[in-house]
Amino acid sequence: MTREDAWSFLKEYNQDAFHLEHAQIVEKTMRYFARKLGYGEEEEFWGIVGLLHDLDFEKFPEQHCIKSQEIMRERGIDERIIHATASHGYGITVDIKPEHEMEKVLFAVDELTGLIGAVVLMRPSKSVQDLEVKSVKKKFKSKGFAAGCSREVISRGAEMLGWTLEELIQRTLDALKTFQD
């Protein structure tokens, strides 16, 4: 599957601008981590997983990470993509555990990119470029802020990767800072 095929596929099930933007942010973040963690030859694959991770969320929110498996299998999508995208719902909607480092990164950064995005919107600069870990951690501790972003999932993701929460936030900020605002 090419990136273009994945984008067309995603747009069949997602029209909301927020969901499409989130998919692209997670795609770029996954590509960044593929390069940084020594999986550069798999960058396209990591990106496609990031792009498709929420394929079913807009149309089937109650069956998130479940319906996508069915949809992807009907299309003959690679089982590695199906497992990877479904595993980001581990312990929430599915019992498919993230196994590969790529799956653990997806699990960790999906919610975190959303939290960071919410923090950015509150900043005078509206930019991630001047955002520091301490500002993200402050909002992380505020349960009412971006309440839809699960702190438990972010923390479990850091733990799966063997990183501290601060490391995960810093590395994700580093990734996001490579994108254009």
Side-chain angles (χ1 to χ4, degrees):
M1 169 174 271
T2 66
R3 195 269 178 204
E4 293 73 29
D5 293 337
W7 179 246
S8 294
F9 187 35
L10 178 68
K11 286 176 63 177
E12 285 180 47
Y13 291 89
N14 293 267
Q15 285 78 46
D16 183 77
F18 176 83
H19 292 140
L20 294 171
E21 181 181 8
H22 172 68
Q24 291 176 305
I25 289 168
V26 175
E27 172 197 13
K28 291 175 188 175
T29 304
M30 293 298 291
R31 286 177 175 277
Y32 172 90
F33 277 107
R35 292 187 306 272
K36 288 294 180 182
L37 297 174
Y39 299 94
E41 70 284 352
E42 294 179 33
E43 180 181 339
E44 181 87 354
F45 179 76
W46 283 47
I48 288 169
V49 167
L51 194 62
L52 294 178
H53 80 283
D54 280 345
L55 177 73
D56 61 1
F57 188 77
E58 188 174 314
K59 289 191 177 184
F60 308 100
E62 300 303 316
Q63 295 179 284
H64 183 43
C65 296
I66 299 166
K67 189 71 173 173
S68 61
Q69 294 175 67
E70 176 187 320
I71 294 166
M72 289 184 191
R73 283 194 179 99
E74 286 172 359
R75 295 285 181 97
I77 303 296
D78 185 329
E79 281 294 325
R80 296 180 314 141
I81 294 173
I82 296 170
H83 187 279
T85 56
S87 73
H88 91 279
Y90 177 65
I92 306 160
T93 58
V94 297
D95 61 358
I96 300 168
K97 187 173 185 178
E99 296 168 2
H100 187 280
E101 190 170 21
M102 178 263 302
E103 295 171 342
K104 294 173 185 178
V105 169
L106 176 62
F107 185 89
V109 304
D110 177 33
E111 295 286 317
L112 182 55
T113 58
L115 179 69
I116 291 171
V119 174
V120 166
L121 291 175
M122 301 301 294
R123 299 180 62 72
S125 67
K126 304 283 192 245
S127 173
V128 72
Q129 298 303 330
D130 60 351
L131 184 57
E132 296 178 5
V133 172
K134 66 180 179 180
S135 298
V136 177
K137 278 204 67 181
K138 183 177 179 183
K139 294 296 187 184
F140 181 91
K141 291 176 184 175
S142 174
K143 302 289 186 233
F145 180 81
C149 297
S150 171
R151 276 60 166 176
E152 180 186 340
V153 168
I154 295 167
S155 296
R156 281 181 29 209
E159 188 179 307
M160 281 182 198
L161 288 162
W163 300 348
T164 65
L165 178 61
E166 291 78 10
E167 276 181 288
L168 175 61
I169 293 170
Q170 184 63 64
R171 288 176 178 215
T172 304
L173 284 172
D174 292 346
L176 295 173
K177 288 177 181 183
T178 66
F179 313 161
Q180 296 298 322
D181 275 342

